[in-house]
Amino acid sequence: AQSVTQLDSQVPVFEEAPVELRCNYSSSVSVYLFWYVQYPNQGLQLLLKYLSGSTLVESINGFEAEFNKSQTSFHLRKPSVHISDTAEYFCAVSDRPGAQKLVFGQGTRLTINP
Amino acid sequence: NAGVTQTPKFQVLKTGQSMTLQCAQDMNHEYMSWYRQDPGMGLRLIHYSVGAGITDQGEVPNGYNVSRSTTEDFPLRLLSAAPSQTSVYFCASARGPNTGELFFGEGSRLTVL
């Protein structure tokens, strides 16, 4: 079965600083990777996804993630964070390109300090 | 734009009581699922459905029942609540099992005393 490990439960950074949230997954022949974001008191929302093609994927609000098959990683990065990025971030994996039986990591709480 | 609607948002139960968490979506999605969210454990899949009349178990199905009589609704039933079922429950839907995005409800916080 697929599994996901998010190496940091909490990441505090200062506003406008860069950030990296780490995610490693169990190896599989086929792997599809997702990052979801949960703002306070809300449900999760899709941030970005890797299904195939270019290993670097981007979101509309400046986040990017790179699929690294040799390292079995899918780390999330942003060069300059904003207060509004304060949220919990979940990495997720599937062995099919869809929502069925999506497996989530433990989550990383990103706190932005002014 | 209702999306995925969950009720109730908060509930307190005593051990042994039963209840149903309601979930409805108005996007004509085939796929629906229930997750529970616990601190340090992320989200774990309880049950899912790929269409009306079809349900299957996820990672942590024990103590929960589901049914899918219509495309829109996917209720989660706790038959005899236990303190270990204290959690935040999320319902999520997708256009189909092979699409790449889940749409989540706002969650239902359940406390079992």
Side-chain angles (χ1 to χ4, degrees), chain A residues 28-108:
Chain A
S28 176
V29 175
S30 297
V31 63
Y32 303 91
L33 295 153
F34 308 82
W35 277 99
Y36 280 79
V37 58
Q38 183 181 31
Y39 298 106
N41 300 313
Q42 295 186 26
L44 282 71
Q45 306 170 34
L46 180 66
L47 187 61
L48 47 77
K49 62 187 177 187
Y50 169 78
L51 301 181
S52 64
S54 173
T55 58
L56 184 67
V57 290
E58 298 176 354
S59 72
I60 58 172
N61 59 351
F63 282 94
E64 64 178 32
E66 185 163 17
F67 170 55
N68 188 320
K69 190 172 182 179
S70 62
Q71 302 284 331
T72 60
S73 68
F74 190 56
H75 301 333
L76 182 70
R77 302 184 182 95
K78 189 170 185 179
S80 176
V81 295
H82 189 267
I83 290 284
S84 60
D85 294 323
T86 296
E88 189 154 19
Y89 293 79
F90 292 91
C91 185
V93 65
S94 177
D95 59 2
R96 63 196 73 192
Q100 187 169 340
K101 302 183 75 172
L102 205 57
V103 176
F104 287 86
Q106 302 91 329
T108 298

Side-chain angles (χ1 to χ4, degrees), chain A residues 19-31:
Chain A
V19 69
E20 177 180 83
L21 307 183
R22 296 180 292 169
C23 171
N24 287 90
Y25 62 91
S26 60
S27 181
S28 176
V29 175
S30 297
V31 63

Side-chain angles (χ1 to χ4, degrees), chain B:
Chain B
N1 275 357
V4 179
T5 303
Q6 291 182 234
T7 56
K9 287 189 170 18
F10 301 94
Q11 183 72 48
V12 179
L13 290 178
K14 294 180 180 178
T15 298
Q17 287 185 317
S18 62
M19 77 155 300
T20 299
L21 298 177
Q22 302 290 347
C23 176
Q25 53 89 9
D26 61 358
M27 298 175 282
N28 201 30
H29 283 175
E30 286 184 23
Y31 181 81
M32 296 185 76
S33 56
W34 277 102
Y35 285 86
R36 59 177 290 173
Q37 183 180 26
D38 301 293
M41 303 188 74
L43 282 80
R44 291 179 292 168
L45 182 64
I46 305 171
H47 285 285
Y48 65 97
S49 167
V50 298
I54 306 169
T55 64
D56 206 346
Q57 296 181 353
E59 180 186 356
V60 288
N62 291 343
Y64 307 95
N65 274 1
V66 292
S67 59
R68 185 96 179 270
S69 56
T70 66
T71 300
E72 295 78 18
D73 300 300
F74 191 46
L76 179 73
R77 297 182 185 86
L78 283 71
L79 305 175
S80 178
S84 61
Q85 293 179 304
T86 293
S87 186
V88 180
Y89 292 85
F90 286 98
C91 180
S93 71
R95 187 155 40 90
N98 293 318
T99 63
E101 180 172 3
L102 277 174
F103 291 85
F104 283 81
E106 294 189 344
S108 298
R109 184 176 294 275
L110 175 66
T111 301
V112 183
L113 302 175

